[in-house]
Amino acid sequence: CSTVLCLCSLGLSLSSLFLPVSLAYLFEAHEVNVLPSFGFLFDIDGVLVRGKTPIPSAKTAFQKLVNSQGQFLVPVVFVTNAGNCLRQKKADQLSHLLGISQNQVMMSHSPLRMFKRYHEKCVLVSGQGPLLDIAQDLGFCQPITIETLREKHPLLDVVDHERRPNVLVSIYFSVVLFGEPVRWETNLQLIIDVLLTSGYPGNPYHHENYPHIPVLACNMDLMWVAEAQSPRFGHGTFMVCLENIYKKITGKDLKYEALMGKPSKVTYQYAEYLIRAQAAERRWKQPIQTLYAVGDNLMTDVYGANLYNRYLEENSRKDNSWENELASAAAAHCRSVLVCTGVYNPHTEVPLDTRESITEAVFHGHRDFRFDPGLVEPDHIVPDVDAAVDLVFQLENFAPN
């Protein structure tokens, strides 16, 4: 298992995974905190649910997170790389645990709300599900689906010879990739057409049009786990296809204006913004200093949290226009907490030569993210989400009224 290899190469043994936090550290004489100076970022699948089935420890954990009126005692955001539905639907799916507002749910596409300079322009959207509803909910005023583009320019999609409506003309200023589509060949062909014609599909290709019009992509997961015994292709696989087709035709790399979804920095910036907004709404005066990202995947949850922590500690904050929408980051740390109820398996057999194995391991992250062993080392490993909540409350010496 490559995840175990990562831990072993970093000097972590399986026998030490569940050692409790130092008792001397936990029970030092500190003043008990009744107001939170921290927030939780919870992954959903593998942490709270498996498929549609709640993980038993999740209900116990949530009983500790709310008061007798059902209000959260600390700011909480649920961060998922899913992107084929509206936030409200995802909140409704979690209602079996407790009442959750859509403002506490962050989809992979949620940071697109910040990219207001594209909201008034005509954008081509790719994916599946209620794409137009999702795009309009995010603020896009003129979203156009691949299916609509195909209907306007039927001669561009010649794989299926049965579909031949009338030809119209449009111009597209950007492309938004929400998730993997159903008809990959159609989406790949028409997105390439839009990129190589500077937004005028139907015109001849002009390879000198580089850089191409902006591309914003959500959810970089190469594969995902469903009911099948083996992983299924995710949106990251579709992106690999698009990137390689573009480079094969032009000899140049496909460029992204932004990549969203874990482990990207912008995802955690937006999640922190939602955490601060919750604290302000509850009128908690204590500044939020630490974010605890609880997840089950080393390459997304742990990598992303550690990458954001590095960003916070280096204080290397560039003045990007979309960051101004959120104001600068205020947290000091983002700590990664790995649970063992999902993708990560602490009981997998460890090879004898871990150094050689980690060198040969295949990195399933996106092309624009380099593999760094230090970024896949979790700050804490716990059995489940209930243990994660207990751990954080102890670390923060938190005892709500």
Side-chain angles (χ1 to χ4, degrees), residues 175-195:
V175 177
V176 180
L177 307 177
F178 281 107
E180 64 271 20
V182 176
R183 300 182 66 105
W184 284 36
E185 81 285 352
T186 296
N187 287 54
L188 289 169
Q189 176 69 76
L190 298 190
I191 292 171
I192 289 292
D193 288 334
V194 169
L195 295 179

Side-chain angles (χ1 to χ4, degrees), residues 9 15 41 81 92-93 101 119 127 131 139 158 166-167 169 258 264 270 272 277 367 371 381-382 389 391:
S9 68
S15 61
L41 308 179
N81 271 359
D92 292 341
Q93 291 172 353
S101 163
H119 287 179
L131 285 179
V158 297
N166 295 326
V167 179
V169 178
S264 70
Y270 193 77
E272 182 187 348
R367 177 200 70 185
F371 177 71
I381 303 178
V382 293
V389 171
L391 171 67

Side-chain angles (χ1 to χ4, degrees), residues 180 184 221-224 231-238:
E180 64 271 20
W184 284 36
D221 291 349
L222 186 74
M223 295 182 289
W224 62 291
R232 303 295 86 194
F233 290 159
H235 190 219
T237 304
F238 177 82

Side-chain angles (χ1 to χ4, degrees), residues 195-198 204-213 246 252:
L195 295 179
L196 293 184
T197 59
S198 295
Y205 286 176
H206 294 288
H207 292 185
E208 64 273 14
N209 292 333
Y210 191 83
H212 48 71
I213 64 174
Y246 184 87
K252 300 174 182 177

Side-chain angles (χ1 to χ4, degrees), residues 63 65-73 401:
Q63 290 171 357
L65 290 172
V66 297
N67 60 22
S68 57
Q69 287 76 43
Q71 297 175 311
F72 278 94
L73 299 168
N401 290 328

